[in-house]
Amino acid sequence: TNRTILRQQLSSWKMVCRVAEDAAHAMDLLMAAARAGKPYEVALIDLNMPDVDGDQLACAIRVQPALRDTRLVLLSSSGNGHRDAREDGAFDGSLVKPVRQSQLYEEIQMVMAGDPAGAVENGSTPAPVVPGAAPGEGAGPPVLVVEDTLVNQVVVSRMLQKSGFLAQVVENGHKALDALSSRSYAAILMDCQMPELDGYETTREVRRREREQNGRRIPIIAMTANAMKGERERCLAAGMDDYMTKPLRKQTVRDTLTRWVCCPPADLTGSGTTPPPNGATATGRDGPELLQEAVIAEVMDLEGDVLSELVSLYFAEAAGHMAELGDAIARADTLAVGRAAHKLKGASGTLGAAYVSHLASELETAAKVGDLTGADDLVDRLGRGLEHTHEALRSRRAEPDIDGKASALP
């Protein structure tokens, strides 16, 4: 097979090589190596894989801070049409199969000589890679989306595009500040909890710069999965202008932006379908609903094959989050547990995976109060919940067969 040939070629150069049969296994290997302090320097990624293709896997890798220095090389068949993968922003190089040994050696040398595509060069912000964007849509007022979870990035971007806005995505506060220094935006949608620089501190810095430069006050709208009392006041105190709770609804996003953006664009899809009342296709083993139908209906209303795409991205990311949780719990690192649980909670809520989101929220709360005594049990329940969610989503008529993914999750 191609994997065997590549492994033999790489081993002949005394390179340490591991082989993964799918995207979930690849994420497990990458995250395990990063946790051990020996991250992989290069990943060769096939474009045509079942369930999660090479482009989607690259996007999932690029949003993991621990993997930002790994160089990614895209492998595609000649029948797919060759493309320069470096233009996509996620890959550092590309090869067409069948790969000659000399070409492989030269490509690895080339990507190792440059900076990885996941790194920020010269303080600039690289163009975001957001799957699901439809060409020609969203040519209206530009909106900066500051969000660190890939599933949420895709959904918010599609909602904005369908509402006639132009979406640009960055994954943390530092990159948001870089983006604001290079162009103006009609508004900012700001996630509150992010690594490196969270939404509250980012907003305070934006307001400080506006005062210092006597600049225009740009509307900043919070996006948060925290619906607790006092959260809205905290956002407003940081300098934000409005507040939306996740999972977001397209009409809510549009209505909120309309309050703050001068001359908002026309909705490209009208009011859309009316989501059904909150409900579930099944019930979690411990009580809470497994899937939230209203949220899934909202995602499906974005048109295209976006639900299938999001499910693939979700489970690829979930494998990484579960690996992070296991490692952080073993180290009794409550901060890392809370971060990973928060990401899993947010992505699950956006997709309508209500049961997994509920369990991740419990784990996040436990980490916040510094009590990890029941964390191992919660992670076990999360693993089972992901399997049940996977089965339920696979059974949906709109969802392609994705056998084997659940068993690959930790």
Side-chain angles (χ1 to χ4, degrees):
T1 65
N2 287 325
R3 292 200 301 265
T4 301
I5 293 171
L6 285 170
R7 178 162 54 184
Q8 291 173 345
Q9 290 174 334
L10 294 167
S11 298
S12 70
W13 299 324
K14 308 301 181 184
M15 293 183 178
V16 177
C17 175
R18 292 290 303 276
V19 175
E21 65 269 15
D22 58 25
H25 187 202
M27 286 295 293
D28 284 343
L29 292 176
L30 288 164
M31 293 300 297
R35 292 196 305 274
K38 297 180 179 179
Y40 287 100
E41 295 182 87
V42 178
L44 306 179
I45 300 177
D46 190 12
L47 174 62
N48 295 314
M49 295 185 291
D51 310 330
V52 180
D53 66 24
D55 287 320
Q56 293 169 333
L57 175 58
C59 290
I61 291 171
R62 285 303 180 212
V63 299
Q64 292 289 343
L67 306 180
R68 66 178 51 182
D69 292 330
T70 299
R71 277 77 169 176
L72 307 184
V73 177
L74 178 68
L75 305 179
S76 61
S77 301
S78 56
N80 293 331
H82 182 60
R83 78 178 203 252
D84 187 351
R86 284 162 292 195
E87 294 180 357
D88 298 346
F91 288 95
D92 302 277
S94 60
L95 290 165
V96 175
K97 296 184 293 185
V99 179
R100 295 183 180 180
Q101 192 164 5
S102 60
Q103 293 174 325
L104 178 62
Y105 185 81
E106 291 172 359
E107 192 71 7
I108 291 176
Q109 275 195 320
M110 186 275 295
V111 299
M112 289 302 298
D115 292 324
V120 178
E121 300 181 15
N122 300 323
S124 63
T125 302
V129 180
V130 182
E137 292 179 350
V143 175
L144 181 63
V145 179
V146 192
E147 167 64 60
D148 67 326
T149 303
L150 185 58
V151 169
N152 292 339
Q153 290 176 0
V154 175
V155 171
V156 175
S157 296
R158 289 294 285 166
M159 286 180 175
L160 288 170
Q161 290 153 3
K162 289 296 180 182
S163 297
F165 292 93
L166 172 65
Q168 180 176 340
V169 178
V170 293
E171 66 266 27
N172 62 53
H174 290 302
K175 291 188 177 182
L177 295 172
D178 289 339
L180 287 167
S181 66
S182 62
R183 69 167 296 176
S184 61
Y185 295 89
I188 302 173
L189 299 186
M190 182 77 72
D191 185 28
C192 292
Q193 297 192 37
M194 296 178 292
E196 300 185 34
L197 192 67
D198 66 27
Y200 309 107
E201 289 301 321
T202 303
T203 299
R204 291 188 185 98
E205 178 60 18
V206 171
R207 297 307 185 211
R208 186 193 68 77
R209 294 184 183 187
E210 289 173 347
R211 290 192 300 269
E212 188 177 84
Q213 301 168 8
N214 292 319
R216 175 182 74 92
R217 181 183 172 94
I218 184 171
I220 301 179
I221 300 163
M223 301 184 297
T224 177
N226 187 357
M228 293 177 62
K229 183 179 180 181
E231 181 62 20
R232 181 183 183 90
E233 289 72 19
R234 184 183 180 190
C235 292
L236 297 178
M240 300 181 197
D241 299 290
D242 216 328
Y243 171 95
M244 296 186 295
T245 56
K246 299 176 184 176
L248 302 178
R249 299 287 179 89
K250 182 170 79 74
Q251 194 60 44
T252 301
V253 171
R254 176 168 176 79
D255 289 346
T256 303
L257 282 170
T258 299
R259 289 198 295 269
W260 295 100
V261 175
C262 179
C263 303
D267 192 327
L268 299 181
T269 59
S271 58
T273 59
T274 301
N278 288 356
T281 58
T283 300
R285 298 297 175 89
D286 301 89
E289 61 187 20
L290 186 64
L291 298 179
Q292 193 173 5
E293 287 293 345
V295 176
I296 293 176
E298 185 79 16
V299 171
M300 294 179 68
D301 192 44
L302 296 176
E303 300 179 359
D305 198 22
V306 68
L307 180 61
S308 175
E309 175 185 300
L310 284 171
V311 168
S312 298
L313 290 173
Y314 171 71
F315 283 104
E317 280 198 302
H321 296 326
M322 292 293 285
E324 286 181 74
L325 285 170
D327 180 65
I329 291 170
R331 292 184 285 108
D333 186 342
T334 56
L335 186 61
V337 171
R339 282 198 301 261
H342 179 78
K343 286 185 178 181
L344 182 57
K345 177 185 75 172
S348 301
T350 295
L351 190 64
Y355 180 62
V356 173
S357 183
H358 168 77
L359 292 178
S361 180
E362 283 191 23
L363 186 54
E364 181 187 17
T365 300
K368 284 181 178 179
V369 300
D371 181 9
L372 297 181
T373 53
D376 287 327
D377 177 63
L378 276 172
V379 169
D380 289 341
R381 290 165 62 194
L382 272 171
R384 294 192 298 271
L386 283 165
E387 291 178 1
H388 299 324
T389 299
H390 186 277
E391 293 167 2
L393 288 170
R394 182 180 57 187
S395 69
R396 299 181 67 88
R397 183 174 298 178
E399 184 53 29
D401 184 21
I402 42 181
D403 281 328
K405 184 63 60 61
S407 61
L409 292 170

